[in-house]
Amino acid sequence: MARCRHRGPKAISSSARPTPAPETIAKEGVARGTTKSFTLSSKQSTIYNPGLIRDDVAGCTNSSIMTTVTAPDDKSHMVVTTSHPGIWSRTIDVYVPAQYVRGTEAPFIVVGDGGSNAYKDLATTLDNLIAQRRVPPMIAIQIGNGGQDAQGSQRGREYDAVSGAYAQFVEREVLPLVEANAGVKLTKDPDGRATMGLSSSGVAAFTMAWFYPDLYHRVLAFSPTMVNQQWPHDPSLRGGAWEYHSAWTGPAGPHLISKAGVLTPAEPPGVPLIAAAPVKPIRFWFFGGDQDLFYPNPNIPDGMHDWTLSNALTAKVLAEKGYHYQFLFVRNAKHVDRPTIAQTLPSALEWVWKGYPIP
C-alpha cells in the first residue's frame, strides 16, 4: 500500500514559533491596498494546454510518487505511468497598493503557489513597507499552480522544469490578463520585476530570472527545490535543478553501463549551470532549514534529493561566482517553515528591492 506523504508547501513547520515581524501586522493609519482576483483555465492557455493530471490513490497524496521506480541504469530518471493530459484552472490574485497612480507603469513581483497560507501576511507586509518607504509601491501577482505536486503533476511540470517555459507562460498569458483585469500597467524594466516562490515555485522563481535576466533581476525563495524534480526526464539535463549548483551524480568516467542489454560508455556529469555561465544580473534571497526535506521514496536514491544540502551548495556556488545573494540557514526549521517566513518576509523583501528608486 502506498504511504501517504506530502512534499509540497503544506508541510508542517517548526515547533519553535518566533514572534512574527511587526511589519506583518496591520497598523492604524496605514493605507491598505486592494486585491482583485480572476481565474485562468488551461483552455485559455497555449503553453500549458493540455495540462497534466496524475492518478493517485484517493485520499493518498503523492501515492504515485511513493511507489514509482526509476529507469534501468539511471536513478535520476523517474518513471511515472499514472500521469496523463488533463484540464487545470487556477486563481490569480493581484494586490494593488493604495499609492498606485492609475495609468503609470509599476514595479511588480510574481508570486508562485499563489493562495498558499505562507503568503497570508503578504498584503499587510507590503502595505507597511510601502508606507515606510522601504520598498517601492509594487503590484504583487499571486499565481495559483496548475495542481497536485511533484513529478507527473502540472505543478511539477511548471515549476521544476529547468527551462524558460514558465517565464513565457507568465509573460505572454498571465501578465496581459493582470493588466486588463486589475487596471494596472506593469513595468518592462527587469530591475523593477521580481519573482518569489516556495519549495518548487521557489526554484521556478530563480529559473525565471536565470533564463530571462532581461525580464527579471530580483528573486526571493523559501526552501527552493534546487534538487532533481524535473519531469519528464531531460537527457540533456539529467539532474534537473540539482545541476544549477552541482554535477549530475550518475555514473561517469570510463565505466561501461548497460542500456537495453548493450554496453555503452557512461556519460560525463557536465559542469553545473551557475558555475559554467557568465554572472547574470540576479539578486537572490533565500532560506533553507536544517530539518528540510530528503526524498521520501527509498526506491530513488539518486543522490540529488537533499533540500538542506542543495540550498547550501547553491549559496556556495553563488559566492564563488560573485553573485549578490543572501542565504539564511535556519536551525530547527522544516520545509517552507512558516514561523521563519513570518519572521523574515519584511526584511527579505526590503533586501531584494535594495537599490530600486522609491518615489
Side-chain angles (χ1 to χ4, degrees), residues 279-314:
V279 174
K280 303 187 181 189
I282 298 173
R283 186 175 179 84
F284 186 26
W285 186 102
F286 62 114
F287 83 65
D290 64 351
Q291 298 177 26
D292 217 307
L293 297 180
F294 289 94
Y295 205 77
N297 186 346
N299 296 322
I300 312 172
D302 68 350
M304 295 181 287
H305 273 95
D306 183 335
W307 272 252
T308 299
L309 178 61
S310 72
N311 280 273
L313 292 172
T314 298

mmCIF file of all heavy atoms in Angstrom, residues 279-314:
data_model
loop_
_atom_site.group_PDB
_atom_site.id
_atom_site.type_symbol
_atom_site.label_atom_id
_atom_site.label_comp_id
_atom_site.label_asym_id
_atom_site.label_seq_id
_atom_site.Cartn_x
_atom_site.Cartn_y
_atom_site.Cartn_z
ATOM 1 N N VAL A 279 28.272 35.553 -15.023
ATOM 2 C CA VAL A 279 27.399 36.050 -13.956
ATOM 3 C C VAL A 279 26.235 36.835 -14.564
ATOM 4 O O VAL A 279 26.432 37.693 -15.429
ATOM 5 C CB VAL A 279 28.185 36.933 -12.964
ATOM 6 C CG1 VAL A 279 27.245 37.557 -11.941
ATOM 7 C CG2 VAL A 279 29.253 36.098 -12.263
ATOM 8 N N LYS A 280 25.039 36.522 -14.108
ATOM 9 C CA LYS A 280 23.834 37.196 -14.589
ATOM 10 C C LYS A 280 23.377 38.230 -13.564
ATOM 11 O O LYS A 280 23.681 38.108 -12.371
ATOM 12 C CB LYS A 280 22.733 36.162 -14.845
ATOM 13 C CG LYS A 280 23.162 35.085 -15.839
ATOM 14 C CD LYS A 280 22.020 34.162 -16.232
ATOM 15 C CE LYS A 280 22.515 33.101 -17.210
ATOM 16 N NZ LYS A 280 21.414 32.319 -17.796
ATOM 17 N N PRO A 281 22.639 39.248 -13.984
ATOM 18 C CA PRO A 281 22.230 40.328 -13.069
ATOM 19 C C PRO A 281 21.072 39.920 -12.158
ATOM 20 O O PRO A 281 19.981 40.502 -12.187
ATOM 21 C CB PRO A 281 21.828 41.450 -14.027
ATOM 22 C CG PRO A 281 21.330 40.735 -15.241
ATOM 23 C CD PRO A 281 22.222 39.510 -15.374
ATOM 24 N N ILE A 282 21.317 38.892 -11.340
ATOM 25 C CA ILE A 282 20.280 38.351 -10.456
ATOM 26 C C ILE A 282 20.641 38.657 -9.012
ATOM 27 O O ILE A 282 21.764 38.406 -8.575
ATOM 28 C CB ILE A 282 20.130 36.828 -10.647
ATOM 29 C CG1 ILE A 282 19.689 36.499 -12.081
ATOM 30 C CG2 ILE A 282 19.133 36.251 -9.638
ATOM 31 C CD1 ILE A 282 19.683 35.010 -12.394
ATOM 32 N N ARG A 283 19.684 39.199 -8.279
ATOM 33 C CA ARG A 283 19.817 39.447 -6.843
ATOM 34 C C ARG A 283 18.907 38.441 -6.141
ATOM 35 O O ARG A 283 17.694 38.459 -6.335
ATOM 36 C CB ARG A 283 19.402 40.882 -6.534
ATOM 37 C CG ARG A 283 19.623 41.321 -5.091
ATOM 38 C CD ARG A 283 19.283 42.805 -4.932
ATOM 39 N NE ARG A 283 19.466 43.243 -3.559
ATOM 40 C CZ ARG A 283 20.617 43.621 -3.042
ATOM 41 N NH1 ARG A 283 21.707 43.620 -3.813
ATOM 42 N NH2 ARG A 283 20.714 44.009 -1.783
ATOM 43 N N PHE A 284 19.484 37.544 -5.322
ATOM 44 C CA PHE A 284 18.755 36.357 -4.869
ATOM 45 C C PHE A 284 18.800 36.247 -3.346
ATOM 46 O O PHE A 284 19.870 36.151 -2.746
ATOM 47 C CB PHE A 284 19.397 35.118 -5.517
ATOM 48 C CG PHE A 284 18.681 33.813 -5.271
ATOM 49 C CD1 PHE A 284 17.317 33.751 -4.998
ATOM 50 C CD2 PHE A 284 19.390 32.612 -5.332
ATOM 51 C CE1 PHE A 284 16.675 32.540 -4.790
ATOM 52 C CE2 PHE A 284 18.764 31.388 -5.129
ATOM 53 C CZ PHE A 284 17.399 31.362 -4.854
ATOM 54 N N TRP A 285 17.612 36.240 -2.727
ATOM 55 C CA TRP A 285 17.459 35.992 -1.286
ATOM 56 C C TRP A 285 16.736 34.655 -1.119
ATOM 57 O O TRP A 285 15.705 34.410 -1.751
ATOM 58 C CB TRP A 285 16.640 37.096 -0.629
ATOM 59 C CG TRP A 285 16.533 37.010 0.876
ATOM 60 C CD1 TRP A 285 17.223 37.750 1.779
ATOM 61 C CD2 TRP A 285 15.666 36.147 1.644
ATOM 62 N NE1 TRP A 285 16.870 37.408 3.068
ATOM 63 C CE2 TRP A 285 15.918 36.419 3.018
ATOM 64 C CE3 TRP A 285 14.731 35.171 1.322
ATOM 65 C CZ2 TRP A 285 15.251 35.760 4.053
ATOM 66 C CZ3 TRP A 285 14.081 34.499 2.350
ATOM 67 C CH2 TRP A 285 14.331 34.795 3.694
ATOM 68 N N PHE A 286 17.270 33.781 -0.238
ATOM 69 C CA PHE A 286 16.576 32.512 0.001
ATOM 70 C C PHE A 286 16.973 31.955 1.357
ATOM 71 O O PHE A 286 17.986 32.335 1.940
ATOM 72 C CB PHE A 286 16.874 31.498 -1.109
ATOM 73 C CG PHE A 286 18.307 31.083 -1.275
ATOM 74 C CD1 PHE A 286 18.704 29.784 -1.010
ATOM 75 C CD2 PHE A 286 19.265 31.970 -1.746
ATOM 76 C CE1 PHE A 286 20.022 29.378 -1.185
ATOM 77 C CE2 PHE A 286 20.589 31.569 -1.934
ATOM 78 C CZ PHE A 286 20.966 30.277 -1.649
ATOM 79 N N PHE A 287 16.121 31.081 1.887
ATOM 80 C CA PHE A 287 16.460 30.383 3.126
ATOM 81 C C PHE A 287 16.249 28.889 2.973
ATOM 82 O O PHE A 287 15.469 28.420 2.139
ATOM 83 C CB PHE A 287 15.718 30.945 4.344
ATOM 84 C CG PHE A 287 14.307 30.441 4.565
ATOM 85 C CD1 PHE A 287 14.042 29.108 4.861
ATOM 86 C CD2 PHE A 287 13.227 31.318 4.551
ATOM 87 C CE1 PHE A 287 12.749 28.653 5.104
ATOM 88 C CE2 PHE A 287 11.936 30.874 4.797
ATOM 89 C CZ PHE A 287 11.690 29.538 5.066
ATOM 90 N N GLY A 288 16.957 28.130 3.799
ATOM 91 C CA GLY A 288 16.775 26.687 3.897
ATOM 92 C C GLY A 288 16.861 26.285 5.360
ATOM 93 O O GLY A 288 17.542 26.946 6.150
ATOM 94 N N GLY A 289 16.180 25.220 5.727
ATOM 95 C CA GLY A 289 16.162 24.776 7.115
ATOM 96 C C GLY A 289 17.032 23.560 7.348
ATOM 97 O O GLY A 289 17.249 22.747 6.435
ATOM 98 N N ASP A 290 17.514 23.420 8.577
ATOM 99 C CA ASP A 290 18.329 22.246 8.899
ATOM 100 C C ASP A 290 17.498 20.970 9.000
ATOM 101 O O ASP A 290 18.043 19.868 9.061
ATOM 102 C CB ASP A 290 19.132 22.471 10.182
ATOM 103 C CG ASP A 290 18.259 22.654 11.419
ATOM 104 O OD1 ASP A 290 17.022 22.787 11.277
ATOM 105 O OD2 ASP A 290 18.812 22.671 12.539
ATOM 106 N N GLN A 291 16.158 21.110 9.011
ATOM 107 C CA GLN A 291 15.270 19.946 9.014
ATOM 108 C C GLN A 291 14.436 19.895 7.731
ATOM 109 O O GLN A 291 13.311 19.418 7.718
ATOM 110 C CB GLN A 291 14.365 19.982 10.245
ATOM 111 C CG GLN A 291 15.119 19.926 11.558
ATOM 112 C CD GLN A 291 14.204 20.049 12.756
ATOM 113 O OE1 GLN A 291 13.024 19.709 12.696
ATOM 114 N NE2 GLN A 291 14.739 20.537 13.866
ATOM 115 N N ASP A 292 14.997 20.413 6.659
ATOM 116 C CA ASP A 292 14.306 20.407 5.367
ATOM 117 C C ASP A 292 14.214 18.982 4.832
ATOM 118 O O ASP A 292 14.574 18.017 5.520
ATOM 119 C CB ASP A 292 15.019 21.343 4.394
ATOM 120 C CG ASP A 292 14.040 22.091 3.491
ATOM 121 O OD1 ASP A 292 13.211 21.415 2.852
ATOM 122 O OD2 ASP A 292 14.107 23.327 3.434
ATOM 123 N N LEU A 293 13.783 18.834 3.595
ATOM 124 C CA LEU A 293 13.383 17.527 3.083
ATOM 125 C C LEU A 293 14.531 16.666 2.563
ATOM 126 O O LEU A 293 15.536 17.173 2.067
ATOM 127 C CB LEU A 293 12.389 17.714 1.933
ATOM 128 C CG LEU A 293 11.058 18.392 2.263
ATOM 129 C CD1 LEU A 293 10.223 18.490 1.005
ATOM 130 C CD2 LEU A 293 10.316 17.633 3.345
ATOM 131 N N PHE A 294 14.336 15.355 2.674
ATOM 132 C CA PHE A 294 15.012 14.349 1.882
ATOM 133 C C PHE A 294 13.912 13.687 1.055
ATOM 134 O O PHE A 294 12.741 13.726 1.426
ATOM 135 C CB PHE A 294 15.692 13.289 2.753
ATOM 136 C CG PHE A 294 16.894 13.778 3.475
ATOM 137 C CD1 PHE A 294 16.785 14.248 4.769
ATOM 138 C CD2 PHE A 294 18.136 13.764 2.871
ATOM 139 C CE1 PHE A 294 17.886 14.699 5.456
ATOM 140 C CE2 PHE A 294 19.253 14.216 3.539
ATOM 141 C CZ PHE A 294 19.129 14.692 4.844
ATOM 142 N N TYR A 295 14.291 13.056 -0.052
ATOM 143 C CA TYR A 295 13.230 12.464 -0.859
ATOM 144 C C TYR A 295 12.602 11.283 -0.129
ATOM 145 O O TYR A 295 13.317 10.423 0.389
ATOM 146 C CB TYR A 295 13.752 12.017 -2.230
ATOM 147 C CG TYR A 295 12.627 11.999 -3.220
ATOM 148 C CD1 TYR A 295 12.152 13.187 -3.768
ATOM 149 C CD2 TYR A 295 11.983 10.817 -3.545
ATOM 150 C CE1 TYR A 295 11.087 13.185 -4.636
ATOM 151 C CE2 TYR A 295 10.911 10.812 -4.408
ATOM 152 C CZ TYR A 295 10.471 11.996 -4.958
ATOM 153 O OH TYR A 295 9.401 11.996 -5.814
ATOM 154 N N PRO A 296 11.269 11.223 -0.073
ATOM 155 C CA PRO A 296 10.605 10.206 0.754
ATOM 156 C C PRO A 296 10.576 8.799 0.188
ATOM 157 O O PRO A 296 10.253 7.862 0.901
ATOM 158 C CB PRO A 296 9.175 10.756 0.889
ATOM 159 C CG PRO A 296 8.972 11.566 -0.353
ATOM 160 C CD PRO A 296 10.305 12.181 -0.659
ATOM 161 N N ASN A 297 10.901 8.612 -1.086
ATOM 162 C CA ASN A 297 10.813 7.280 -1.689
ATOM 163 C C ASN A 297 12.187 6.616 -1.688
ATOM 164 O O ASN A 297 13.082 7.036 -2.412
ATOM 165 C CB ASN A 297 10.291 7.393 -3.122
ATOM 166 C CG ASN A 297 10.047 6.032 -3.757
ATOM 167 O OD1 ASN A 297 10.488 5.008 -3.244
ATOM 168 N ND2 ASN A 297 9.345 6.017 -4.872
ATOM 169 N N PRO A 298 12.388 5.562 -0.894
ATOM 170 C CA PRO A 298 13.708 4.906 -0.819
ATOM 171 C C PRO A 298 14.108 4.209 -2.106
ATOM 172 O O PRO A 298 15.270 3.828 -2.267
ATOM 173 C CB PRO A 298 13.531 3.904 0.327
ATOM 174 C CG PRO A 298 12.069 3.612 0.356
ATOM 175 C CD PRO A 298 11.393 4.914 -0.020
ATOM 176 N N ASN A 299 13.162 4.058 -3.040
ATOM 177 C CA ASN A 299 13.480 3.423 -4.315
ATOM 178 C C ASN A 299 14.222 4.366 -5.263
ATOM 179 O O ASN A 299 14.621 3.965 -6.352
ATOM 180 C CB ASN A 299 12.201 2.928 -5.004
ATOM 181 C CG ASN A 299 11.511 1.835 -4.211
ATOM 182 O OD1 ASN A 299 12.167 0.988 -3.634
ATOM 183 N ND2 ASN A 299 10.195 1.881 -4.170
ATOM 184 N N ILE A 300 14.382 5.634 -4.859
ATOM 185 C CA ILE A 300 15.003 6.614 -5.751
ATOM 186 C C ILE A 300 16.201 7.262 -5.065
ATOM 187 O O ILE A 300 16.213 8.455 -4.805
ATOM 188 C CB ILE A 300 13.978 7.691 -6.181
ATOM 189 C CG1 ILE A 300 12.689 7.010 -6.645
ATOM 190 C CG2 ILE A 300 14.527 8.552 -7.304
ATOM 191 C CD1 ILE A 300 11.572 7.960 -6.910
ATOM 192 N N PRO A 301 17.234 6.493 -4.757
ATOM 193 C CA PRO A 301 18.427 7.050 -4.098
ATOM 194 C C PRO A 301 19.387 7.644 -5.126
ATOM 195 O O PRO A 301 20.482 7.133 -5.355
ATOM 196 C CB PRO A 301 19.018 5.822 -3.408
ATOM 197 C CG PRO A 301 18.675 4.694 -4.320
ATOM 198 C CD PRO A 301 17.329 5.040 -4.940
ATOM 199 N N ASP A 302 18.987 8.739 -5.765
ATOM 200 C CA ASP A 302 19.802 9.278 -6.848
ATOM 201 C C ASP A 302 20.869 10.248 -6.356
ATOM 202 O O ASP A 302 21.659 10.756 -7.164
ATOM 203 C CB ASP A 302 18.920 9.945 -7.911
ATOM 204 C CG ASP A 302 18.241 11.215 -7.416
ATOM 205 O OD1 ASP A 302 18.291 11.491 -6.198
ATOM 206 O OD2 ASP A 302 17.652 11.937 -8.241
ATOM 207 N N GLY A 303 20.893 10.536 -5.047
ATOM 208 C CA GLY A 303 21.898 11.443 -4.521
ATOM 209 C C GLY A 303 21.642 12.897 -4.832
ATOM 210 O O GLY A 303 22.511 13.748 -4.605
ATOM 211 N N MET A 304 20.455 13.220 -5.319
ATOM 212 C CA MET A 304 20.145 14.604 -5.726
ATOM 213 C C MET A 304 18.811 15.076 -5.148
ATOM 214 O O MET A 304 18.078 15.826 -5.782
ATOM 215 C CB MET A 304 20.140 14.715 -7.254
ATOM 216 C CG MET A 304 21.488 14.458 -7.888
ATOM 217 S SD MET A 304 21.514 14.612 -9.690
ATOM 218 C CE MET A 304 20.632 13.115 -10.172
ATOM 219 N N HIS A 305 18.489 14.606 -3.922
ATOM 220 C CA HIS A 305 17.211 14.963 -3.320
ATOM 221 C C HIS A 305 17.349 15.368 -1.856
ATOM 222 O O HIS A 305 16.499 15.038 -1.038
ATOM 223 C CB HIS A 305 16.212 13.815 -3.467
ATOM 224 C CG HIS A 305 15.463 13.846 -4.763
ATOM 225 N ND1 HIS A 305 15.859 13.143 -5.863
ATOM 226 C CD2 HIS A 305 14.368 14.539 -5.138
ATOM 227 C CE1 HIS A 305 15.028 13.376 -6.857
ATOM 228 N NE2 HIS A 305 14.102 14.222 -6.448
ATOM 229 N N ASP A 306 18.383 16.116 -1.542
ATOM 230 C CA ASP A 306 18.595 16.635 -0.195
ATOM 231 C C ASP A 306 18.425 18.155 -0.258
ATOM 232 O O ASP A 306 19.295 18.867 -0.750
ATOM 233 C CB ASP A 306 20.005 16.259 0.280
ATOM 234 C CG ASP A 306 20.292 16.704 1.701
ATOM 235 O OD1 ASP A 306 19.665 17.672 2.175
ATOM 236 O OD2 ASP A 306 21.171 16.094 2.344
ATOM 237 N N TRP A 307 17.273 18.627 0.242
ATOM 238 C CA TRP A 307 16.971 20.058 0.149
ATOM 239 C C TRP A 307 17.945 20.900 0.983
ATOM 240 O O TRP A 307 18.380 21.957 0.554
ATOM 241 C CB TRP A 307 15.540 20.328 0.592
ATOM 242 C CG TRP A 307 14.494 20.237 -0.452
ATOM 243 C CD1 TRP A 307 13.797 21.275 -1.010
ATOM 244 C CD2 TRP A 307 13.971 19.054 -1.074
ATOM 245 N NE1 TRP A 307 12.899 20.813 -1.947
ATOM 246 C CE2 TRP A 307 12.979 19.452 -1.996
ATOM 247 C CE3 TRP A 307 14.251 17.700 -0.935
ATOM 248 C CZ2 TRP A 307 12.271 18.547 -2.769
ATOM 249 C CZ3 TRP A 307 13.542 16.789 -1.716
ATOM 250 C CH2 TRP A 307 12.572 17.213 -2.625
ATOM 251 N N THR A 308 18.278 20.439 2.183
ATOM 252 C CA THR A 308 19.190 21.192 3.041
ATOM 253 C C THR A 308 20.551 21.352 2.366
ATOM 254 O O THR A 308 21.106 22.460 2.293
ATOM 255 C CB THR A 308 19.362 20.495 4.400
ATOM 256 O OG1 THR A 308 18.086 20.422 5.051
ATOM 257 C CG2 THR A 308 20.321 21.261 5.296
ATOM 258 N N LEU A 309 21.086 20.271 1.861
ATOM 259 C CA LEU A 309 22.376 20.312 1.188
ATOM 260 C C LEU A 309 22.311 21.151 -0.084
ATOM 261 O O LEU A 309 23.226 21.936 -0.370
ATOM 262 C CB LEU A 309 22.841 18.894 0.865
ATOM 263 C CG LEU A 309 24.174 18.771 0.112
ATOM 264 C CD1 LEU A 309 25.304 19.369 0.926
ATOM 265 C CD2 LEU A 309 24.443 17.305 -0.231
ATOM 266 N N SER A 310 21.242 21.006 -0.854
ATOM 267 C CA SER A 310 21.156 21.714 -2.137
ATOM 268 C C SER A 310 21.153 23.223 -1.946
ATOM 269 O O SER A 310 21.753 23.958 -2.742
ATOM 270 C CB SER A 310 19.898 21.277 -2.902
ATOM 271 O OG SER A 310 18.721 21.794 -2.313
ATOM 272 N N ASN A 311 20.488 23.708 -0.888
ATOM 273 C CA ASN A 311 20.478 25.147 -0.658
ATOM 274 C C ASN A 311 21.853 25.652 -0.232
ATOM 275 O O ASN A 311 22.300 26.727 -0.652
ATOM 276 C CB ASN A 311 19.413 25.501 0.375
ATOM 277 C CG ASN A 311 18.021 25.552 -0.226
ATOM 278 O OD1 ASN A 311 17.598 26.571 -0.743
ATOM 279 N ND2 ASN A 311 17.304 24.439 -0.177
ATOM 280 N N ALA A 312 22.544 24.872 0.597
ATOM 281 C CA ALA A 312 23.892 25.261 0.999
ATOM 282 C C ALA A 312 24.838 25.264 -0.201
ATOM 283 O O ALA A 312 25.683 26.173 -0.343
ATOM 284 C CB ALA A 312 24.408 24.318 2.078
ATOM 285 N N LEU A 313 24.722 24.277 -1.072
ATOM 286 C CA LEU A 313 25.571 24.219 -2.256
ATOM 287 C C LEU A 313 25.261 25.351 -3.230
ATOM 288 O O LEU A 313 26.164 25.878 -3.896
ATOM 289 C CB LEU A 313 25.405 22.862 -2.952
ATOM 290 C CG LEU A 313 25.955 21.658 -2.185
ATOM 291 C CD1 LEU A 313 25.560 20.352 -2.879
ATOM 292 C CD2 LEU A 313 27.469 21.751 -2.050
ATOM 293 N N THR A 314 23.989 25.733 -3.310
ATOM 294 C CA THR A 314 23.627 26.878 -4.154
ATOM 295 C C THR A 314 24.293 28.145 -3.638
ATOM 296 O O THR A 314 24.852 28.940 -4.419
ATOM 297 C CB THR A 314 22.104 27.054 -4.192
ATOM 298 O OG1 THR A 314 21.504 25.882 -4.769
ATOM 299 C CG2 THR A 314 21.707 28.271 -5.016
#
